[in-house]
Amino acid sequence: SSSTYNKLWADAQVELNSLLAQEFPAQPPRPEKDRVVFFQRLATLYVRYVQIFRQLEEAYDQVVHPQKRKVIREVLDGVMGRVLELKNEMVEKEFSEYHYMDDVIQDLKLTPEDIEIPIPRYFLSERSKVLQERGNMLSNILNLMEVVERPKPVGVRALNLEEAIKIIQVSERARQGRLRAKFMREIQRDEERQRRAKDRDLGTAAIDTAVVRIQKVWKGYVQRKKTKREREEEMIFLGMAMEPRHTQPCPAMTAAQANEARRRGKQEEHEEDYQKSIVAITDKLREVEGPDMRETMKDQIRQWFIECHDATGTFPDYPEEEDGGSTLIFAEKTPQQLMEELSAKEEEDANKNTKGKEEKKDKGKKDKGKGGDEEEESGLKMLPSAFLGELEVGQKTFGEVWQNRTESKNFSQRHEAELIKEEKRKEIEVEIRLQVDELMRQELANWKLAVDKDKGGKAKGGAKKKKGSKSGKKKKKDKDLTADRNIESLYQELVEQGLLKQSDNVKLQDYLGDYSYLGTTLRQTDIEPMPSLSDVRQVIALYAVLPLGSQVVHEKAPLVKAILLAGPAGVGKKMLVHAICQETGANLFDLSPLNLAGKYPGKSGLAMVLHMVFKVARLMQPSVVWIGDTEKMFYKKVPKEEKELDPKRLKKDLPKILKSIKGEDRVLVVGTTHDPFNADLKSLCKVYSKIILIPRPDYASRYVMWRQLIKKNGGQVTAALDLSSLAKISDGYTQGHMVQVVRSILTERRVQQLAKRPLSAAEFVAPLAKIDPVFQDEEEALKNWYAKTPLGKKRAKAASGKEGEEEAPTKGGKDAKKKGKK
């Protein structure tokens, strides 16, 4: 019901209020010298913000009141941005993309599911029409390509003598085999008939033996069935197994899901009604209250002219539009104060250029003198936030407008006209003020002209020179190579060339994996744990999905332009790329070296393809540019067999393109590699700011995956299937291997036999044995490679306690360096 979601929103705002009080304490907090304590503070804030994020996301998805949704959306985007800022800060302080917060979760009495990053549903729901149109356009182009490229039927070829003889031999042998089988079947029937005739002559002793045997089998069957039932009841009683009725879809859950879908339908209806009311109320206000507003403003401005003239003997200069226009006049100030303020502003603008030069000269001197002060205040501080201001505004709006509002008369949760009037009245006032300013500026010029004519002087400041743009070199604008073409034709060409592809229908939650429960414990014993697949899923959601899904978040949050996914073959790197596209409704461009081979040759061709891809990516954002086998682009030495493909084509031009991506461009470059050792690490790290290492699945993830994959492919998990042993023996195998094995076993025929012959772990052993796993050496090599990346190096220094040596010289010169060495 609406009250449930209103309460959920109110609870989230109360929690947010307590966090804002913590973020803005009465006295600024002292810098924290202990890195572990500082990280704990960050982790606690992060977990609490994620909790608020989850509550607000659910409230925004289900609240039907359009004006409430507007406020919730602003706060939701702010919380999302703050979560990303805290994540970025944790990475900088801990020198790792993965964090283990099991102790924080335990302290806050939460479960790992409670800190799972939710994907806001509005990413897709609010763009559903656009996505549908784009999907139709893509499928039409692909269908057209299939029609054009459909191969012609091959003509019937005559057989040569050898082939004809072979076919005749096969047919004849098959005919003989069938005859032989028929003959053998008749012999078996005769033998069976003779045996039955002998059995009829047996005495009573044989009959008794048969009876006993039947009883023995039946009693054994009944007892086993009874024992099995009792065991199941015991497990249910102990809470180790679920009752059969709970495995079926619950009617209450089904009803709740139907209710949620109905509320989403209501949202659209109420939003449409709200937009119509805005137009109607604005027009009415402009018509009814507009003329009165205009006349009142004119009278007030004329009164100000007269007061200024009486006080100073001259008419004032009318404030410029960029300075605020007549809004300065309506501030509660005397004419003298206002004149002084305007003249002071002019002087400040005139002196700005000279001051700038002096500041640059003095900057070096000041920096030198800062050493002593910084040494006193050395330590770790929170970075400034771009979202806390928005959160404060959202919190204030909730407190003033919605917290204590009585809605007893608004049971259907439709919009409130009075709130629209309050909001639009201010907009109309601004609109009218701009019109009045133009009129009154002219009127003031006429008054000045009339007064100066009497004095015989020249009119002052009638038409004030507008501030010109800063002189200097204009930024060179990139030449548009396809200015004469529309976006649809570019889109079609990219699809036809195979550079724009349809993403697979997979979600981020389909990337299965359990939480790492021993991360903190291992780090406390100086062992760097391998991240779990759940951690990988979280990082992808934070770095890729949330910024691509929200324009506000992408513009203000720490900008991530390119991500590299590195890991063994089969760990799901390509799946993650497709999941990012599906969760955000992004286009998928494929610039893999193998896909580019032979397309758009030469320098001009490369410039054209990059221009087209990134032009379409920007205009039809969000977009993901995928570069598969990205190590080929950064080869130290290109192998002979790949020289013709020219895999290093993009190496020089891609970094230039990445520099041109700004906060307003929701474009993300995602590279994937299973063999990063062959790449030049320095060039690779210049392009990819975030390198995410994806490991092979751990025991907990394998257990979850076996269960889900078997169910997904039509299998049944019964007591006969020992999943724990299966997860244990499949150590080293990737998700791709597991999918391959499950599909090979669960054939259509095997699925039909499940009722009589349930699955067992032994069936999976033989197919697994035929596949080479990811050995420990390969994983260690990947870890060693990652340790050479910029973040890996920082982590290694932090682990060996040398980060003090690196940071100290920048803070306080030689003395700080000595302290670091101690």
Side-chain angles (χ1 to χ4, degrees):
S1 69
S2 295
S3 59
T4 305
Y5 295 108
N6 287 341
K7 189 178 183 303
L8 186 68
W9 177 32
D11 291 345
Q13 290 288 166
V14 168
E15 178 67 10
L16 180 61
N17 193 34
S18 72
L19 276 180
L20 289 173
Q22 198 175 323
E23 296 255 39
F24 295 109
Q27 291 182 343
R30 291 177 69 95
E32 182 57 63
K33 295 187 179 180
D34 189 338
R35 193 175 285 273
V36 176
V37 173
F38 187 74
F39 179 78
Q40 284 293 104
R41 190 189 303 164
L42 281 176
T44 307
L45 277 174
Y46 172 82
V47 170
R48 288 178 69 187
Y49 269 113
V50 169
Q51 289 290 100
I52 295 168
F53 177 20
R54 290 175 70 86
Q55 288 174 309
L56 288 173
E57 197 280 321
E58 192 177 345
Y60 184 70
D61 184 56
Q62 290 300 306
V63 167
V64 295
H65 196 299
Q67 287 152 308
K68 284 181 184 176
R69 294 186 83 241
K70 195 177 171 185
V71 178
I72 295 171
R73 173 67 180 274
E74 287 169 7
V75 179
L76 177 59
D77 284 343
V79 169
M80 264 197 281
R82 187 63 186 137
V83 166
L84 292 181
E85 284 178 338
L86 288 167
K87 169 68 181 174
N88 182 55
E89 205 160 339
M90 287 195 292
V91 170
E92 287 183 10
K93 298 300 181 284
E94 210 184 24
F95 311 119
S96 173
E97 297 292 356
Y98 299 107
H99 314 291
Y100 303 99
M101 297 176 280
D102 15 307
D103 49 345
V104 176
I105 295 171
Q106 202 172 349
D107 292 344
L108 295 172
K109 297 193 170 39
L110 301 171
T111 63
E113 287 76 23
D114 293 329
I115 62 159
E116 186 82 26
I117 300 293
I119 308 299
R121 282 159 276 198
Y122 80 80
F123 285 178
L124 296 176
S125 63
E126 293 187 2
R127 295 179 61 239
S128 56
K129 286 181 183 174
V130 176
L131 293 174
Q132 196 173 348
E133 286 169 13
R134 198 177 295 170
N136 292 339
M137 184 163 69
L138 182 59
S139 57
N140 289 340
I141 295 167
L142 291 171
N143 291 338
L144 194 68
M145 284 168 64
E146 278 179 21
V147 170
V148 172
E149 294 173 13
R150 193 169 285 160
K152 293 176 183 177
V154 181
V156 178
R157 186 175 62 86
L159 296 173
N160 59 33
L161 187 62
E162 284 181 13
E163 287 174 337
I165 290 168
K166 196 173 182 181
I167 289 170
I168 292 166
Q169 282 178 339
V170 168
S171 302
E172 178 57 24
R173 283 170 186 161
R175 188 186 67 78
Q176 288 177 6
R178 284 194 293 273
L179 283 171
R180 198 179 296 114
K182 189 180 177 184
F183 180 62
M184 291 301 293
R185 205 179 296 120
E186 285 174 3
I187 291 170
Q188 283 174 353
R189 279 176 190 163
D190 289 342
E191 286 177 358
E192 184 70 21
R193 216 175 285 120
Q194 288 169 10
R195 192 176 61 78
R196 283 177 184 170
K198 280 181 185 178
D199 288 348
R200 285 195 198 100
D201 301 335
L202 292 173
T204 54
I207 293 168
D208 291 343
T209 309
V211 169
V212 169
R213 193 167 291 173
I214 291 166
Q215 286 177 340
K216 186 180 176 183
V217 171
W218 172 250
K219 285 178 180 176
Y221 168 74
V222 169
Q223 188 58 45
R224 281 193 297 276
K225 200 173 179 182
K226 186 182 175 186
T227 307
K228 187 184 174 185
R229 189 176 64 250
E230 286 175 354
R231 180 167 176 76
E232 283 173 2
E233 286 171 0
E234 184 185 5
M235 295 301 277
I236 290 166
F237 176 73
L238 293 171
M240 299 292 284
M242 287 176 72
E243 288 185 56
R245 61 190 176 90
H246 290 150
T247 56
Q248 300 300 319
C250 176
M253 287 288 286
T254 312
Q257 285 166 1
N259 185 44
E260 284 178 7
R262 186 174 54 79
R263 290 181 71 85
R264 288 189 196 106
K266 258 191 184 180
Q267 280 175 3
E268 290 177 18
E269 185 191 319
H270 288 197
E271 182 63 33
E272 198 178 325
D273 191 21
Y274 173 57
Q275 294 301 333
K276 285 178 184 173
S277 296
I278 286 175
V279 174
I281 290 169
T282 307
D283 291 344
K284 195 175 180 183
L285 282 173
R286 198 178 281 121
E287 190 183 322
V288 175
E289 297 183 18
D292 290 343
M293 282 184 189
R294 191 176 282 107
E295 289 308 314
T296 307
M297 282 182 197
K298 282 182 179 179
D299 291 343
Q300 286 175 331
I301 293 167
R302 286 192 189 108
Q303 183 63 31
W304 178 69
F305 291 164
I306 293 160
E307 283 177 12
C308 283
H309 190 270
D310 291 346
T312 59
T314 57
F315 285 115
D317 290 332
Y318 205 93
E320 286 297 323
E321 200 175 303
E322 53 264 32
D323 294 332
S326 58
T327 46
L328 290 174
I329 297 167
F330 298 122
E332 292 177 2
K333 291 175 183 174
T334 62
Q336 287 93 339
Q337 284 175 321
L338 196 59
M339 293 288 283
E340 283 167 21
E341 196 176 292
L342 287 169
S343 58
K345 222 172 208 177
E346 282 171 18
E347 281 174 29
E348 196 180 308
D349 291 338
N351 296 334
K352 234 175 198 178
N353 296 331
T354 52
K355 273 186 184 179
K357 289 174 187 174
E358 286 172 19
E359 278 174 13
K360 279 179 186 175
K361 286 179 184 176
D362 295 340
K363 203 175 181 185
K365 294 175 185 176
K366 283 181 184 177
D367 287 344
K368 286 177 187 176
K370 268 185 185 178
D373 300 333
E374 284 192 5
E375 196 180 332
E376 289 170 25
E377 288 295 314
S378 65
L380 299 165
K381 287 183 181 179
M382 296 277 279
L383 296 172
S385 169
F387 292 95
L388 286 175
E390 286 182 15
L391 291 175
E392 276 194 299
V393 170
Q395 182 64 31
K396 192 179 176 185
T397 306
F398 171 75
E400 290 176 358
V401 180
W402 298 105
Q403 194 168 15
N404 300 315
R405 198 175 193 86
T406 53
E407 293 185 280
S408 54
K409 292 180 182 177
N410 189 10
F411 183 74
S412 61
Q413 289 289 290
R414 290 190 176 271
H415 62 269
E416 298 194 23
E418 282 307 311
L419 289 175
I420 299 175
K421 284 180 185 175
E422 283 174 31
E423 189 183 334
K424 293 296 164 188
R425 204 171 270 128
K426 290 172 187 173
E427 288 179 21
I428 290 166
E429 198 175 314
V430 170
E431 190 185 302
I432 290 171
R433 178 168 284 127
L434 290 172
Q435 295 168 7
V436 168
D437 280 358
E438 284 299 313
L439 293 170
M440 298 311 290
R441 205 172 270 121
Q442 192 59 45
E443 192 172 313
L444 179 62
N446 294 340
W447 282 22
K448 283 185 179 181
L449 200 64
V451 170
D452 287 339
K453 266 184 185 175
D454 293 342
K455 292 181 180 177
K458 202 177 179 184
K460 281 185 191 176
K464 201 175 179 183
K465 242 187 184 182
K466 284 196 175 181
K467 292 173 191 173
S469 59
K470 285 186 181 178
S471 60
K473 286 182 183 177
K474 285 187 179 179
K475 206 175 182 184
K476 195 179 176 184
K477 205 175 183 183
D478 292 332
K479 191 181 176 184
D480 190 351
L481 302 174
T482 54
D484 57 333
R485 293 178 63 183
N486 62 12
I487 192 72
E488 284 78 15
S489 70
L490 294 174
Y491 188 90
Q492 185 169 346
E493 185 178 334
L494 289 171
V495 174
E496 287 169 355
Q497 290 294 331
L499 298 175
L500 200 160
K501 295 185 174 179
Q502 196 160 20
S503 56
D504 297 340
N505 188 19
V506 287
K507 297 288 184 183
L508 200 58
Q509 64 185 17
D510 297 335
Y511 189 77
L512 302 168
D514 204 2
Y515 184 77
S516 177
Y517 295 93
L518 290 173
T520 307
T521 312
L522 288 170
R523 274 197 174 166
Q524 284 169 353
T525 54
D526 295 331
I527 298 169
E528 185 60 27
M530 283 302 279
S532 72
L533 300 184
S534 170
D535 298 325
V536 173
R537 194 169 59 235
Q538 298 279 80
V539 168
I540 294 296
L542 289 165
Y543 286 156
V545 179
L546 296 188
L548 281 178
S550 170
Q551 186 69 42
V552 175
V553 172
H554 196 274
E555 283 178 12
K556 294 186 179 180
L559 187 59
V560 177
K561 296 180 183 181
I563 295 173
L564 176 66
L565 305 178
V571 291
K573 300 182 290 294
K574 190 176 172 184
M575 180 187 173
L576 286 170
V577 174
H578 287 277
I580 293 167
C581 295
Q582 283 291 328
E583 293 288 8
T584 57
N587 301 298
L588 177 62
F589 298 88
D590 184 0
L591 289 185
S592 305
L594 291 174
N595 194 42
L596 270 180
K599 296 172 186 174
Y600 298 93
K603 279 190 176 180
S604 58
L606 182 63
M608 176 59 81
V609 73
L610 284 174
H611 167 76
M612 283 168 62
V613 165
F614 282 90
K615 182 179 179 180
V616 175
R618 283 189 178 101
L619 292 174
M620 301 182 82
Q621 56 182 291
S623 298
V624 170
V625 179
W626 172 48
I627 304 174
D629 295 327
T630 195
E631 78 281 351
K632 294 179 189 293
M633 206 170 88
F634 302 97
Y635 268 144
K636 294 170 187 171
K637 189 180 178 184
V638 181
K640 284 181 183 177
E641 62 272 13
E642 290 186 29
K643 274 188 178 175
E644 287 181 15
L645 302 175
D646 192 13
K648 295 173 79 171
R649 282 181 81 190
L650 291 173
K651 188 178 178 181
K652 285 183 181 176
D653 295 309
L654 189 64
K656 293 174 190 173
I657 293 278
L658 280 174
K659 279 182 185 175
S660 69
I661 294 175
K662 305 296 178 200
E664 58 270 16
D665 303 323
R666 284 187 289 159
V667 178
L668 180 71
V669 175
V670 183
T672 57
T673 174
H674 67 274
D675 189 18
F677 319 108
N678 295 329
D680 175 35
L681 189 59
K682 195 175 180 184
S683 308
L684 191 75
C685 294
K686 269 186 184 176
V687 171
Y688 296 105
S689 55
K690 296 286 179 188
I691 298 176
I692 297 165
L693 191 64
I694 304 178
R696 56 189 186 171
D698 56 6
Y699 169 79
S701 296
R702 290 196 303 274
Y703 187 90
V704 171
M705 285 180 69
W706 280 120
R707 178 182 287 278
Q708 293 300 325
L709 286 172
I710 288 166
K711 285 182 178 177
K712 194 176 178 182
N713 286 275
Q716 291 173 0
V717 178
T718 60
L721 179 59
D722 189 355
L723 279 179
S724 181
S725 299
L726 188 57
K728 190 73 179 169
I729 62 165
S730 56
D731 186 15
Y733 291 95
T734 63
Q735 297 95 306
H737 295 149
M738 291 160 78
V739 169
Q740 191 182 328
V741 168
V742 169
R743 283 180 183 166
S744 69
I745 286 169
L746 286 168
T747 57
E748 195 176 334
R749 188 179 175 194
R750 184 68 185 89
V751 170
Q752 289 170 355
Q753 294 173 346
L754 287 174
K756 293 177 182 176
R757 188 163 64 90
L759 284 170
S760 66
E763 290 180 66
F764 294 85
V765 176
L768 274 174
K770 292 175 187 174
I771 303 169
D772 288 332
V774 176
F775 295 106
Q776 192 71 32
D777 299 348
E778 193 177 335
E779 196 168 78
E780 285 300 318
L782 271 170
K783 279 176 84 173
N784 294 335
W785 171 83
Y786 185 75
K788 292 173 189 172
T789 63
L791 197 67
K793 284 178 182 174
K794 286 180 184 176
R795 179 74 197 160
K797 281 176 186 173
S800 59
K802 288 181 184 174
E803 78 273 19
E805 289 180 38
E806 294 296 316
E807 289 176 12
T810 58
K811 287 184 180 175
K814 290 177 184 177
D815 297 334
K817 196 168 183 179
K818 285 174 190 174
K819 285 180 187 177
K821 285 179 181 177
K822 282 176 189 176

